[in-house]
Amino acid sequence: MSLSSSSLSSSLSEAPSIVHRLVDRAVRHRERTALTFRTGPGRVDDLSYGDLVARSAAMAERLRATRPSPGGERFALIALPNEIDYVVAFYACGMAGVTAITFLTPSMYTSRAAAAFSVRLRHVLIDCDPGTVICHEELVRWLREDSEHAGALDGRLVVLPEQVEASAEAAIGDPDVQGADLALLQYTSGSTSEPKGVMVTHANLAHNVEVIARSFGSVEGESMTGWLPLYHDMGLIGVVLQSIWSGMSVHLMSPQAFIRRPAFWLQTISATRSAQTVAPNFGYDLVTRRASDSDLDGVDLSCLRHAMNGAEPVRASTIDRFAKRFGPYHFDTAAMMPVYGLAENTVAVSLSYTRREPSVIPLDPRRLSRDGVAVRAAGHPAIDTVGCGDGSAHGISVRIVDITSFRPCPVGTVGEIWVSGASVAKGYWGRPMESEETFGARVVGEDTRYLRTGDLGALLDGTLVIVGRVKDIIVHNGMNHYPQDLEHTAERSHAALRPGAGVAFSMLEQDKERVVLVQELDCFDSTVNRYEVLGAIRQAVAEVHGLQLDCIVLVGKGQVPKTTSGKVQRRATRQRFVDGGFTPMAEWHSRAQPATTSEGRDE
């Protein structure tokens, strides 16, 4: 579908915010289903557009008592699990003129979940001092009983969704929301640095959801199915807000339900005849590996027009396996839509506006390492790179820029991805210097301000390919290596290795740069030869990348640090390695001392 400037501008002028658009949809289609939440086959909670507005308006009445922060903004922390009330709370914030802070809340307060939750909660409470917390009574009790958070709610308005009753008399009216008002304080994942609050305005949100809707070709009355967490930009914006903006019905399930039964995702798509879905690469990989034929009995995916794949590196091998596994169930590979985005651009940056099979480009790893040029490989091992959209959308401009000269890179040369346009957020809350550095970059000779993404990529035939992060580049013997490529090659070298759970990094040791790989084992029993696994990793990395690893550490499941959205944390992994925080199940070193396994045997 083409995206004309005039049609998009017209759409945004008719509804300058997501709240205006929701009210408009409710007036015209009050009884249409807006949301369903599915806890299992046959167990469904639903909400119409009219009821969503009524419940949001009732909660908004409570939120108007939110006190301002020292910076003058009124913030409400949404600390709810994945459920319909999360969406109600978000729209209620908009109706009340309060900025929502989307937040991860564990469904069960286990020691591990509580520890991760506590660290992030402390950071947010200090960083922006929200005047309101929207949560359930269970969380209130836990916070007041936990010694570290006994006073966390003092001086804050606490709104319990279970105590808010929707009323037909709740004041709705014309939402008093301006485009420049903050709609969302979206904290970054913390994969490369401390989480920062990205200031997303109502104008940013409206523009980005419209761009996504145009790329999807969203049609009023259609359905969308998703399982991503609602605190995450891709789940909230790409799934829920985009669907409601377009007048669709969105069918949700919890991430936990998906992890337990991945096939439930596909069953729901089939049962609701959903035209769209959104997931990271990990989701497509997991359902491919775990869905059995009996799970798929009666599943028909012919309805699925677009399956967005983003939020982490998109793998050609995953797309290929997914297409082959579900082709017999009428999945069309042209439905797969690899995309690129980040919180600082609201969510989406680069999408495709033509329904087509994903573009897989076999790149020469040696040219990438030697001179940073992305060219097709010929006659030797290649890195299969997936094109992530057209490299531009209406109101979103993508440039590839040299990080030392700040000049545009020649076509096909790797540089930092810079973005400008109406979806670029205002900056980071309370961090003016970092905001200027990240959101105020300029290409030499130009006046346009750009967002520096920190990601490295290239434009090939108008398609954007992503090759890594600026801060994560591994320089070894004068050659640049991108850790995600090393990690992907390693995890595919042996069936015992867990996908998406490896981290490659470099460190200086005795005046020499050494390359380390920490990798989780997916399965481990007496039949797995750990020396065989270590050898397979070394051989694969050497053959594909021409690189000899200096150290390999195999660890158990769940040992590699990850963000709340599931991305590996390379800096945290490196620090844990340096601190001796891993208990290896097997390891190999290129140094003189013998390699050992967890039983202390020499290689």
Side-chain angles (χ1 to χ4, degrees):
M1 173 180 287
S2 63
L3 181 59
S4 70
S5 174
S6 60
S7 64
L8 186 130
S9 298
S10 174
S11 177
L12 295 178
S13 65
E14 292 171 3
S17 77
I18 58 167
V19 182
H20 288 88
R21 182 61 70 97
L22 170 62
V23 172
D24 175 68
R25 295 293 183 193
V27 169
R28 293 192 289 121
H29 305 289
R30 182 175 183 82
E31 301 304 321
R32 174 180 292 165
T33 297
L35 298 164
T36 72
F37 189 80
R38 295 165 180 259
T39 55
R43 298 191 295 277
V44 181
D45 294 325
D46 58 29
L47 206 62
S48 69
Y49 273 87
D51 289 340
L52 175 56
V53 167
R55 286 177 58 174
S56 298
M59 187 179 290
E61 287 296 315
R62 300 279 189 93
L63 294 176
R64 289 190 175 95
T66 296
R67 65 163 173 77
S69 72
E73 294 289 342
R74 293 191 299 155
F75 294 122
L77 181 72
I78 304 177
L80 297 169
N82 259 48
E83 59 186 21
I84 284 177
D85 280 331
Y86 206 112
V87 181
V88 171
F90 188 82
Y91 278 105
C93 288
M95 290 181 179
V98 173
T99 302
I101 304 170
T102 51
F103 196 73
L104 165 67
T105 303
S107 56
M108 296 179 64
Y109 298 100
T110 61
S111 57
R112 177 177 293 181
F117 172 76
S118 294
V119 170
R120 199 166 177 86
L121 179 63
R122 281 196 300 272
H123 175 78
V124 172
L125 293 180
I126 294 170
D127 193 59
C128 66
D129 188 24
T132 293
V133 176
I134 307 172
C135 63
H136 290 310
E137 182 63 38
E138 178 188 15
L139 179 57
V140 173
R141 288 196 304 269
W142 184 83
L143 289 173
R144 288 175 175 164
E145 292 171 1
D146 183 76
S147 59
E148 290 189 47
H149 299 291
L153 299 178
D154 292 351
R156 306 182 200 277
L157 173 68
V158 176
V159 175
L160 305 176
E162 53 266 36
Q163 294 182 1
V164 177
E165 294 186 10
S167 169
E169 288 75 36
I172 301 173
D174 186 26
D176 185 20
V177 174
Q178 305 299 317
D181 295 341
L182 286 189
L184 170 64
L185 197 61
Q186 183 173 202
Y187 277 84
T188 56
S189 63
S191 57
T192 59
S193 62
E194 184 181 70
K196 297 181 283 289
V198 179
M199 297 185 288
V200 179
T201 67
H202 279 282
N204 295 149
L205 266 182
H207 183 268
N208 210 248
V209 295
E210 178 68 7
V211 166
I212 296 171
R214 294 302 180 97
S215 178
F216 268 152
S218 298
V219 176
E220 191 173 352
E222 287 189 334
S223 291
M224 154 81 88
T225 291
W227 52 265
L228 282 166
L230 296 177
Y231 68 84
H232 189 264
D233 52 11
M234 198 168 175
L236 178 67
I237 302 170
V239 176
V240 175
L241 301 188
Q242 182 273 143
S243 297
I244 292 176
W245 177 271
S246 303
M248 301 169 66
S249 299
V250 56
H251 304 278
L252 302 173
M253 63 189 70
S254 71
Q256 293 79 13
F258 166 73
I259 296 296
R260 286 193 300 268
R261 294 185 56 245
F264 184 34
W265 176 31
L266 304 186
Q267 292 166 352
T268 303
I269 291 172
S270 177
T272 61
R273 307 310 296 155
S274 288
Q276 305 171 8
T277 195
V278 174
N281 191 83
F282 141 78
Y284 295 100
D285 178 73
L286 186 67
V287 74
T288 300
R289 290 188 287 118
R290 289 182 45 186
S292 66
D293 289 343
S294 59
D295 290 330
L296 301 171
D297 186 32
V299 167
D300 176 10
L301 300 178
S302 61
C303 57
L304 193 58
R305 190 171 64 249
H306 289 296
M308 185 185 284
N309 186 337
E312 61 186 26
V314 180
R315 301 299 188 190
S317 56
T318 298
I319 293 174
D320 182 61
R321 290 196 301 270
F322 186 91
K324 289 177 179 176
R325 178 71 180 94
F326 302 111
Y329 300 92
H330 310 295
F331 173 75
D332 184 350
T333 310
M336 184 66 73
M337 181 193 287
V339 300
Y340 166 72
L342 71 165
E344 286 84 349
N345 198 64
T346 305
V347 61
V349 171
S350 179
L351 312 92
S352 174
Y353 289 90
T354 303
R355 189 172 183 271
R356 59 177 181 264
E357 291 198 3
S359 174
V360 178
I361 307 168
L363 297 182
D364 185 334
R366 289 171 173 78
R367 287 296 304 276
L368 276 176
S369 300
R370 187 174 68 247
D371 51 25
V373 175
V375 296
R376 293 178 181 271
H380 54 76
I383 299 171
D384 284 337
T385 306
V386 179
C388 292
D390 298 334
S392 64
H394 175 74
I396 300 177
S397 174
V398 173
R399 305 288 295 275
I400 306 299
V401 180
D402 184 279
I403 60 175
T404 56
S405 70
F406 284 11
R407 298 182 183 277
C409 291
V411 174
T413 301
V414 173
E416 186 179 9
I417 301 168
W418 286 20
V419 181
S420 68
S423 289
V424 175
K426 286 182 65 174
Y428 297 123
W429 172 257
R431 299 169 186 251
M433 293 182 64
E434 288 184 64
S435 295
E436 181 61 26
E437 180 181 354
T438 301
F439 293 86
R442 287 181 170 85
V443 174
V444 171
E446 299 182 13
D447 292 330
T448 302
R449 291 168 63 88
Y450 285 90
L451 161 67
R452 297 189 64 176
T453 67
D455 290 314
L456 294 168
L459 287 169
L460 298 174
D461 302 323
T463 298
L464 179 66
V465 295
I466 315 298
V467 300
R469 296 274 309 166
V470 173
K471 295 179 180 178
D472 291 336
I473 290 179
I474 295 171
V475 182
H476 189 261
N477 294 334
M479 309 281 275
N480 291 338
H481 296 277
Y482 303 99
Q484 66 185 39
D485 293 331
L486 302 180
E487 293 154 7
H488 187 52
T489 297
E491 73 182 32
R492 297 174 64 192
S493 67
H494 198 283
L497 299 173
R498 191 179 186 194
V503 171
F505 56 89
S506 63
M507 56 185 297
L508 192 64
E509 190 174 85
Q510 297 177 351
D511 296 326
K512 181 180 179 181
E513 200 73 19
R514 298 187 181 275
V515 182
V516 179
L517 176 77
V518 178
Q519 170 68 53
E520 291 183 10
L521 286 163
D522 193 30
C523 59
F524 183 76
D525 56 39
S526 59
T527 65
V528 175
N529 185 321
R530 286 169 281 189
Y531 306 116
E532 178 184 292
V533 176
L534 291 166
I537 292 173
R538 292 169 57 198
Q539 181 176 349
V541 171
E543 288 180 353
V544 176
H545 303 279
L547 173 70
Q548 298 292 336
L549 293 171
D550 295 288
C551 177
I552 304 171
V553 180
L554 300 181
V555 297
K557 285 185 181 180
Q559 296 304 299
V560 170
K562 292 187 176 183
T563 68
T564 55
S565 57
K567 298 177 184 177
V568 294
Q569 293 181 300
R570 295 191 177 92
R571 286 188 174 186
T573 303
R574 183 184 185 279
Q575 191 60 51
R576 184 174 294 183
F577 175 82
V578 171
D579 294 341
F582 290 108
T583 302
M585 301 184 75
E587 57 185 319
W588 175 87
H589 298 267
S590 64
R591 301 193 299 273
Q593 70 262 33
T596 62
T597 69
S598 55
E599 284 111 356
R601 293 178 297 180
D602 292 348
E603 183 177 14

